[in-house]
Amino acid sequence: MTSASSTEKPRVVATIGVGAKPVGVAVDVHDQVFVTNSGADTLSVINSATNTVNATLNVGVRPESVATDPQFGVYVANGGNFTVSALDKFHTIVATIVVEGPPGPPPPDMLRVAVDHLMGRAYVANRALHRVSIISISSNPPVLFPDFTEVEGPLEVVIDPVSHRVFVTQPDHNEISVIDTTTQQVINSIPVGLHPTGIAIDPQKQRVYVANSGFKTVSVIDMTTLGVAEIDVGPSPTGVAVDSHGAVYLTHPDGLVRVIDPASASVIATIPVGSQPQGLAFEPHSNRVYVANRGDGTVSAIDLAGG
């Protein structure tokens, strides 16, 4: 298995119709790709072996993010009604967890979720209430902890599987907060670029990649030193994912995915996808990156070896 390089030509090998306004993507260990359709209040389940939709599931209002756990199931953050839908391995909703929000219809980009399997927890970034909440996913049914961490305007959230620290983007403050999950306190605030949105971790290289959607850069954070470097990538990077070899994939509103080689810290490939691509995820068994195209209701499957 190889990542994109100067000699390979990663390309779209399938365009899969899902629901209206797909935005979030996650994969599991069973060759399944989960896509939140924020305009349809549904979750699409794609078989990565066949690139076909196996199921369309009703979840909460305006699902914006999805995370999977190999043991405890699938978790969908519904930004339209501030809930998390917990699904078991048979895709049955076993709990709807209310994480609270202000009165009135919320604007987009309110709720995100990430899972820490070894700790048996899901972390929910609630932009409206300026907090990161915790769900015990090892409980049956899953339950919300009463404690939470105060973070100003959190959006995307990821977890380092080694240290179990939580990294949260704060688009309105141009920084990243780092949460110590032992104390549930913010232990570092790291300045990055303008309006950081997407975030992904390379645990092997101990790097965090942050898409600065207000400019044309990606911030690269060294998790050991917390030093920050910048890479020019093109206008308004939104979502970010990392493959098993450390190559970095970015969505841009111009309908392109750009690929960064971490060794040269430069863009080595540009891949046309669908309209207004947002979330994306790397699926290791098929060696593909799946991209949610919000503008046309599709998912682009990019084969990293060119198909």
Side-chain angles (χ1 to χ4, degrees), residues 59-89:
V59 287
V61 179
R62 205 180 69 222
E64 297 181 333
S65 173
V66 57
T68 68
D69 183 272
Q71 181 177 357
F72 301 116
V74 180
Y75 300 84
V76 180
N78 305 301
N81 62 353
F82 293 99
T83 63
V84 174
S85 301
L87 290 76
D88 64 17
K89 62 183 179 180

PDB file of all heavy atoms in Angstrom, residues 59-89:
ATOM      1  N   VAL A  59     -31.272  10.031  11.499  1.00  0.00           N
ATOM      2  CA  VAL A  59     -30.603  10.411  12.746  1.00  0.00           C
ATOM      3  C   VAL A  59     -31.263  11.692  13.266  1.00  0.00           C
ATOM      4  O   VAL A  59     -32.470  11.861  13.151  1.00  0.00           O
ATOM      5  CB  VAL A  59     -29.081  10.550  12.543  1.00  0.00           C
ATOM      6  CG1 VAL A  59     -28.434   9.175  12.384  1.00  0.00           C
ATOM      7  CG2 VAL A  59     -28.736  11.427  11.348  1.00  0.00           C
ATOM      8  N   GLY A  60     -30.483  12.614  13.842  1.00  0.00           N
ATOM      9  CA  GLY A  60     -31.052  13.840  14.373  1.00  0.00           C
ATOM     10  C   GLY A  60     -31.144  14.936  13.332  1.00  0.00           C
ATOM     11  O   GLY A  60     -30.954  14.718  12.137  1.00  0.00           O
ATOM     12  N   VAL A  61     -31.421  16.147  13.806  1.00  0.00           N
ATOM     13  CA  VAL A  61     -31.596  17.293  12.919  1.00  0.00           C
ATOM     14  C   VAL A  61     -30.231  17.866  12.537  1.00  0.00           C
ATOM     15  O   VAL A  61     -29.401  18.160  13.380  1.00  0.00           O
ATOM     16  CB  VAL A  61     -32.445  18.387  13.604  1.00  0.00           C
ATOM     17  CG1 VAL A  61     -32.605  19.597  12.681  1.00  0.00           C
ATOM     18  CG2 VAL A  61     -33.806  17.823  14.000  1.00  0.00           C
ATOM     19  N   ARG A  62     -29.998  17.965  11.238  1.00  0.00           N
ATOM     20  CA  ARG A  62     -28.768  18.498  10.639  1.00  0.00           C
ATOM     21  C   ARG A  62     -27.500  17.821  11.204  1.00  0.00           C
ATOM     22  O   ARG A  62     -26.691  18.429  11.881  1.00  0.00           O
ATOM     23  CB  ARG A  62     -28.683  20.021  10.835  1.00  0.00           C
ATOM     24  CG  ARG A  62     -27.800  20.675   9.752  1.00  0.00           C
ATOM     25  CD  ARG A  62     -27.695  22.175   9.930  1.00  0.00           C
ATOM     26  NE  ARG A  62     -26.941  22.521  11.108  1.00  0.00           N
ATOM     27  CZ  ARG A  62     -27.260  23.484  11.969  1.00  0.00           C
ATOM     28  NH1 ARG A  62     -28.340  24.196  11.790  1.00  0.00           N
ATOM     29  NH2 ARG A  62     -26.496  23.737  13.004  1.00  0.00           N
ATOM     30  N   PRO A  63     -27.322  16.562  10.881  1.00  0.00           N
ATOM     31  CA  PRO A  63     -26.094  15.879  11.321  1.00  0.00           C
ATOM     32  C   PRO A  63     -24.863  16.489  10.661  1.00  0.00           C
ATOM     33  O   PRO A  63     -24.817  16.648   9.445  1.00  0.00           O
ATOM     34  CB  PRO A  63     -26.314  14.432  10.874  1.00  0.00           C
ATOM     35  CG  PRO A  63     -27.278  14.537   9.725  1.00  0.00           C
ATOM     36  CD  PRO A  63     -28.169  15.690  10.051  1.00  0.00           C
ATOM     37  N   GLU A  64     -23.869  16.847  11.486  1.00  0.00           N
ATOM     38  CA  GLU A  64     -22.704  17.580  10.992  1.00  0.00           C
ATOM     39  C   GLU A  64     -21.401  16.796  11.108  1.00  0.00           C
ATOM     40  O   GLU A  64     -20.414  17.149  10.461  1.00  0.00           O
ATOM     41  CB  GLU A  64     -22.567  18.896  11.756  1.00  0.00           C
ATOM     42  CG  GLU A  64     -23.732  19.838  11.544  1.00  0.00           C
ATOM     43  CD  GLU A  64     -23.601  21.149  12.284  1.00  0.00           C
ATOM     44  OE1 GLU A  64     -22.925  21.192  13.338  1.00  0.00           O
ATOM     45  OE2 GLU A  64     -24.177  22.144  11.823  1.00  0.00           O
ATOM     46  N   SER A  65     -21.383  15.762  11.925  1.00  0.00           N
ATOM     47  CA  SER A  65     -20.127  15.065  12.187  1.00  0.00           C
ATOM     48  C   SER A  65     -20.442  13.630  12.583  1.00  0.00           C
ATOM     49  O   SER A  65     -21.509  13.340  13.140  1.00  0.00           O
ATOM     50  CB  SER A  65     -19.369  15.785  13.310  1.00  0.00           C
ATOM     51  OG  SER A  65     -18.233  15.080  13.732  1.00  0.00           O
ATOM     52  N   VAL A  66     -19.488  12.737  12.292  1.00  0.00           N
ATOM     53  CA  VAL A  66     -19.662  11.332  12.639  1.00  0.00           C
ATOM     54  C   VAL A  66     -18.319  10.760  13.056  1.00  0.00           C
ATOM     55  O   VAL A  66     -17.271  11.137  12.525  1.00  0.00           O
ATOM     56  CB  VAL A  66     -20.281  10.531  11.460  1.00  0.00           C
ATOM     57  CG1 VAL A  66     -19.433  10.648  10.199  1.00  0.00           C
ATOM     58  CG2 VAL A  66     -20.507   9.073  11.827  1.00  0.00           C
ATOM     59  N   ALA A  67     -18.359   9.860  14.045  1.00  0.00           N
ATOM     60  CA  ALA A  67     -17.158   9.167  14.508  1.00  0.00           C
ATOM     61  C   ALA A  67     -17.520   7.719  14.777  1.00  0.00           C
ATOM     62  O   ALA A  67     -18.670   7.407  15.117  1.00  0.00           O
ATOM     63  CB  ALA A  67     -16.607   9.816  15.774  1.00  0.00           C
ATOM     64  N   THR A  68     -16.543   6.825  14.620  1.00  0.00           N
ATOM     65  CA  THR A  68     -16.811   5.399  14.816  1.00  0.00           C
ATOM     66  C   THR A  68     -15.887   4.823  15.880  1.00  0.00           C
ATOM     67  O   THR A  68     -14.794   5.335  16.127  1.00  0.00           O
ATOM     68  CB  THR A  68     -16.614   4.606  13.509  1.00  0.00           C
ATOM     69  OG1 THR A  68     -15.223   4.603  13.166  1.00  0.00           O
ATOM     70  CG2 THR A  68     -17.426   5.201  12.371  1.00  0.00           C
ATOM     71  N   ASP A  69     -16.344   3.741  16.482  1.00  0.00           N
ATOM     72  CA  ASP A  69     -15.541   2.994  17.445  1.00  0.00           C
ATOM     73  C   ASP A  69     -15.648   1.524  17.100  1.00  0.00           C
ATOM     74  O   ASP A  69     -16.755   1.034  16.812  1.00  0.00           O
ATOM     75  CB  ASP A  69     -16.037   3.243  18.868  1.00  0.00           C
ATOM     76  CG  ASP A  69     -15.181   2.530  19.897  1.00  0.00           C
ATOM     77  OD1 ASP A  69     -15.464   1.345  20.201  1.00  0.00           O
ATOM     78  OD2 ASP A  69     -14.204   3.146  20.388  1.00  0.00           O
ATOM     79  N   PRO A  70     -14.525   0.777  17.100  1.00  0.00           N
ATOM     80  CA  PRO A  70     -14.577  -0.625  16.665  1.00  0.00           C
ATOM     81  C   PRO A  70     -15.414  -1.517  17.569  1.00  0.00           C
ATOM     82  O   PRO A  70     -15.862  -2.583  17.149  1.00  0.00           O
ATOM     83  CB  PRO A  70     -13.102  -1.053  16.668  1.00  0.00           C
ATOM     84  CG  PRO A  70     -12.422  -0.084  17.572  1.00  0.00           C
ATOM     85  CD  PRO A  70     -13.149   1.199  17.419  1.00  0.00           C
ATOM     86  N   GLN A  71     -15.637  -1.085  18.790  1.00  0.00           N
ATOM     87  CA  GLN A  71     -16.402  -1.906  19.739  1.00  0.00           C
ATOM     88  C   GLN A  71     -17.776  -1.322  20.050  1.00  0.00           C
ATOM     89  O   GLN A  71     -18.763  -2.053  20.135  1.00  0.00           O
ATOM     90  CB  GLN A  71     -15.612  -2.054  21.047  1.00  0.00           C
ATOM     91  CG  GLN A  71     -16.298  -2.918  22.096  1.00  0.00           C
ATOM     92  CD  GLN A  71     -15.447  -3.086  23.343  1.00  0.00           C
ATOM     93  OE1 GLN A  71     -14.314  -2.596  23.399  1.00  0.00           O
ATOM     94  NE2 GLN A  71     -15.974  -3.767  24.339  1.00  0.00           N
ATOM     95  N   PHE A  72     -17.829  -0.010  20.181  1.00  0.00           N
ATOM     96  CA  PHE A  72     -19.030   0.608  20.743  1.00  0.00           C
ATOM     97  C   PHE A  72     -19.961   1.248  19.720  1.00  0.00           C
ATOM     98  O   PHE A  72     -21.009   1.767  20.075  1.00  0.00           O
ATOM     99  CB  PHE A  72     -18.644   1.627  21.810  1.00  0.00           C
ATOM    100  CG  PHE A  72     -17.853   1.037  22.939  1.00  0.00           C
ATOM    101  CD1 PHE A  72     -16.547   1.440  23.179  1.00  0.00           C
ATOM    102  CD2 PHE A  72     -18.407   0.050  23.744  1.00  0.00           C
ATOM    103  CE1 PHE A  72     -15.817   0.893  24.219  1.00  0.00           C
ATOM    104  CE2 PHE A  72     -17.676  -0.510  24.781  1.00  0.00           C
ATOM    105  CZ  PHE A  72     -16.372  -0.092  25.027  1.00  0.00           C
ATOM    106  N   GLY A  73     -19.609   1.280  18.436  1.00  0.00           N
ATOM    107  CA  GLY A  73     -20.558   1.721  17.433  1.00  0.00           C
ATOM    108  C   GLY A  73     -20.227   3.043  16.760  1.00  0.00           C
ATOM    109  O   GLY A  73     -19.062   3.407  16.594  1.00  0.00           O
ATOM    110  N   VAL A  74     -21.267   3.772  16.369  1.00  0.00           N
ATOM    111  CA  VAL A  74     -21.150   4.977  15.555  1.00  0.00           C
ATOM    112  C   VAL A  74     -21.854   6.116  16.291  1.00  0.00           C
ATOM    113  O   VAL A  74     -22.942   5.922  16.867  1.00  0.00           O
ATOM    114  CB  VAL A  74     -21.790   4.769  14.167  1.00  0.00           C
ATOM    115  CG1 VAL A  74     -21.672   6.022  13.311  1.00  0.00           C
ATOM    116  CG2 VAL A  74     -21.147   3.574  13.463  1.00  0.00           C
ATOM    117  N   TYR A  75     -21.247   7.315  16.217  1.00  0.00           N
ATOM    118  CA  TYR A  75     -21.771   8.469  16.940  1.00  0.00           C
ATOM    119  C   TYR A  75     -21.914   9.635  15.975  1.00  0.00           C
ATOM    120  O   TYR A  75     -20.962   9.994  15.276  1.00  0.00           O
ATOM    121  CB  TYR A  75     -20.856   8.814  18.126  1.00  0.00           C
ATOM    122  CG  TYR A  75     -20.777   7.644  19.063  1.00  0.00           C
ATOM    123  CD1 TYR A  75     -19.868   6.609  18.823  1.00  0.00           C
ATOM    124  CD2 TYR A  75     -21.693   7.501  20.087  1.00  0.00           C
ATOM    125  CE1 TYR A  75     -19.860   5.482  19.619  1.00  0.00           C
ATOM    126  CE2 TYR A  75     -21.692   6.373  20.895  1.00  0.00           C
ATOM    127  CZ  TYR A  75     -20.772   5.371  20.659  1.00  0.00           C
ATOM    128  OH  TYR A  75     -20.789   4.244  21.439  1.00  0.00           O
ATOM    129  N   VAL A  76     -23.122  10.205  15.936  1.00  0.00           N
ATOM    130  CA  VAL A  76     -23.443  11.270  14.988  1.00  0.00           C
ATOM    131  C   VAL A  76     -23.810  12.530  15.774  1.00  0.00           C
ATOM    132  O   VAL A  76     -24.721  12.505  16.614  1.00  0.00           O
ATOM    133  CB  VAL A  76     -24.615  10.870  14.077  1.00  0.00           C
ATOM    134  CG1 VAL A  76     -24.935  11.989  13.093  1.00  0.00           C
ATOM    135  CG2 VAL A  76     -24.294   9.570  13.334  1.00  0.00           C
ATOM    136  N   ALA A  77     -23.089  13.626  15.509  1.00  0.00           N
ATOM    137  CA  ALA A  77     -23.362  14.903  16.164  1.00  0.00           C
ATOM    138  C   ALA A  77     -24.353  15.689  15.319  1.00  0.00           C
ATOM    139  O   ALA A  77     -24.063  16.039  14.165  1.00  0.00           O
ATOM    140  CB  ALA A  77     -22.063  15.697  16.342  1.00  0.00           C
ATOM    141  N   ASN A  78     -25.524  15.965  15.892  1.00  0.00           N
ATOM    142  CA  ASN A  78     -26.612  16.636  15.192  1.00  0.00           C
ATOM    143  C   ASN A  78     -26.673  18.106  15.627  1.00  0.00           C
ATOM    144  O   ASN A  78     -27.186  18.430  16.702  1.00  0.00           O
ATOM    145  CB  ASN A  78     -27.935  15.935  15.496  1.00  0.00           C
ATOM    146  CG  ASN A  78     -27.905  14.445  15.185  1.00  0.00           C
ATOM    147  OD1 ASN A  78     -27.654  14.056  14.047  1.00  0.00           O
ATOM    148  ND2 ASN A  78     -28.130  13.610  16.181  1.00  0.00           N
ATOM    149  N   GLY A  79     -26.131  18.982  14.778  1.00  0.00           N
ATOM    150  CA  GLY A  79     -26.029  20.385  15.139  1.00  0.00           C
ATOM    151  C   GLY A  79     -27.342  21.128  15.126  1.00  0.00           C
ATOM    152  O   GLY A  79     -27.453  22.214  15.698  1.00  0.00           O
ATOM    153  N   GLY A  80     -28.367  20.562  14.496  1.00  0.00           N
ATOM    154  CA  GLY A  80     -29.646  21.238  14.411  1.00  0.00           C
ATOM    155  C   GLY A  80     -30.495  21.125  15.658  1.00  0.00           C
ATOM    156  O   GLY A  80     -31.398  21.935  15.882  1.00  0.00           O
ATOM    157  N   ASN A  81     -30.229  20.104  16.497  1.00  0.00           N
ATOM    158  CA  ASN A  81     -30.981  19.986  17.749  1.00  0.00           C
ATOM    159  C   ASN A  81     -30.089  19.607  18.928  1.00  0.00           C
ATOM    160  O   ASN A  81     -30.590  19.204  19.980  1.00  0.00           O
ATOM    161  CB  ASN A  81     -32.141  18.997  17.613  1.00  0.00           C
ATOM    162  CG  ASN A  81     -31.686  17.577  17.301  1.00  0.00           C
ATOM    163  OD1 ASN A  81     -30.508  17.324  17.052  1.00  0.00           O
ATOM    164  ND2 ASN A  81     -32.628  16.639  17.317  1.00  0.00           N
ATOM    165  N   PHE A  82     -28.769  19.746  18.756  1.00  0.00           N
ATOM    166  CA  PHE A  82     -27.795  19.567  19.838  1.00  0.00           C
ATOM    167  C   PHE A  82     -27.957  18.213  20.524  1.00  0.00           C
ATOM    168  O   PHE A  82     -28.086  18.107  21.739  1.00  0.00           O
ATOM    169  CB  PHE A  82     -27.882  20.716  20.853  1.00  0.00           C
ATOM    170  CG  PHE A  82     -27.441  22.034  20.284  1.00  0.00           C
ATOM    171  CD1 PHE A  82     -28.378  22.945  19.834  1.00  0.00           C
ATOM    172  CD2 PHE A  82     -26.098  22.345  20.167  1.00  0.00           C
ATOM    173  CE1 PHE A  82     -27.983  24.150  19.284  1.00  0.00           C
ATOM    174  CE2 PHE A  82     -25.689  23.549  19.626  1.00  0.00           C
ATOM    175  CZ  PHE A  82     -26.624  24.454  19.178  1.00  0.00           C
ATOM    176  N   THR A  83     -27.948  17.168  19.678  1.00  0.00           N
ATOM    177  CA  THR A  83     -27.977  15.809  20.193  1.00  0.00           C
ATOM    178  C   THR A  83     -26.871  14.992  19.534  1.00  0.00           C
ATOM    179  O   THR A  83     -26.325  15.371  18.497  1.00  0.00           O
ATOM    180  CB  THR A  83     -29.329  15.116  19.912  1.00  0.00           C
ATOM    181  OG1 THR A  83     -29.506  14.999  18.489  1.00  0.00           O
ATOM    182  CG2 THR A  83     -30.484  15.873  20.529  1.00  0.00           C
ATOM    183  N   VAL A  84     -26.561  13.863  20.141  1.00  0.00           N
ATOM    184  CA  VAL A  84     -25.676  12.866  19.540  1.00  0.00           C
ATOM    185  C   VAL A  84     -26.460  11.567  19.416  1.00  0.00           C
ATOM    186  O   VAL A  84     -26.999  11.055  20.416  1.00  0.00           O
ATOM    187  CB  VAL A  84     -24.402  12.653  20.386  1.00  0.00           C
ATOM    188  CG1 VAL A  84     -23.568  11.502  19.822  1.00  0.00           C
ATOM    189  CG2 VAL A  84     -23.578  13.932  20.433  1.00  0.00           C
ATOM    190  N   SER A  85     -26.552  11.049  18.197  1.00  0.00           N
ATOM    191  CA  SER A  85     -27.189   9.751  17.966  1.00  0.00           C
ATOM    192  C   SER A  85     -26.139   8.661  18.122  1.00  0.00           C
ATOM    193  O   SER A  85     -25.104   8.689  17.441  1.00  0.00           O
ATOM    194  CB  SER A  85     -27.794   9.685  16.560  1.00  0.00           C
ATOM    195  OG  SER A  85     -28.753  10.704  16.359  1.00  0.00           O
ATOM    196  N   ALA A  86     -26.393   7.708  19.020  1.00  0.00           N
ATOM    197  CA  ALA A  86     -25.488   6.576  19.227  1.00  0.00           C
ATOM    198  C   ALA A  86     -26.085   5.346  18.562  1.00  0.00           C
ATOM    199  O   ALA A  86     -27.212   4.951  18.869  1.00  0.00           O
ATOM    200  CB  ALA A  86     -25.281   6.326  20.713  1.00  0.00           C
ATOM    201  N   LEU A  87     -25.319   4.754  17.624  1.00  0.00           N
ATOM    202  CA  LEU A  87     -25.779   3.580  16.890  1.00  0.00           C
ATOM    203  C   LEU A  87     -24.903   2.384  17.242  1.00  0.00           C
ATOM    204  O   LEU A  87     -23.678   2.521  17.392  1.00  0.00           O
ATOM    205  CB  LEU A  87     -25.720   3.812  15.382  1.00  0.00           C
ATOM    206  CG  LEU A  87     -26.704   4.798  14.751  1.00  0.00           C
ATOM    207  CD1 LEU A  87     -26.292   6.243  15.040  1.00  0.00           C
ATOM    208  CD2 LEU A  87     -26.772   4.589  13.251  1.00  0.00           C
ATOM    209  N   ASP A  88     -25.509   1.220  17.339  1.00  0.00           N
ATOM    210  CA  ASP A  88     -24.727   0.013  17.593  1.00  0.00           C
ATOM    211  C   ASP A  88     -24.169  -0.540  16.286  1.00  0.00           C
ATOM    212  O   ASP A  88     -24.348   0.050  15.209  1.00  0.00           O
ATOM    213  CB  ASP A  88     -25.551  -1.035  18.343  1.00  0.00           C
ATOM    214  CG  ASP A  88     -26.746  -1.555  17.552  1.00  0.00           C
ATOM    215  OD1 ASP A  88     -26.800  -1.373  16.314  1.00  0.00           O
ATOM    216  OD2 ASP A  88     -27.640  -2.169  18.176  1.00  0.00           O
ATOM    217  N   LYS A  89     -23.500  -1.686  16.364  1.00  0.00           N
ATOM    218  CA  LYS A  89     -22.847  -2.243  15.172  1.00  0.00           C
ATOM    219  C   LYS A  89     -23.840  -2.724  14.123  1.00  0.00           C
ATOM    220  O   LYS A  89     -23.464  -2.982  12.976  1.00  0.00           O
ATOM    221  CB  LYS A  89     -21.902  -3.385  15.566  1.00  0.00           C
ATOM    222  CG  LYS A  89     -22.585  -4.561  16.222  1.00  0.00           C
ATOM    223  CD  LYS A  89     -21.554  -5.599  16.641  1.00  0.00           C
ATOM    224  CE  LYS A  89     -22.219  -6.788  17.319  1.00  0.00           C
ATOM    225  NZ  LYS A  89     -21.205  -7.812  17.729  1.00  0.00           N
TER     226      LYS A  89
END
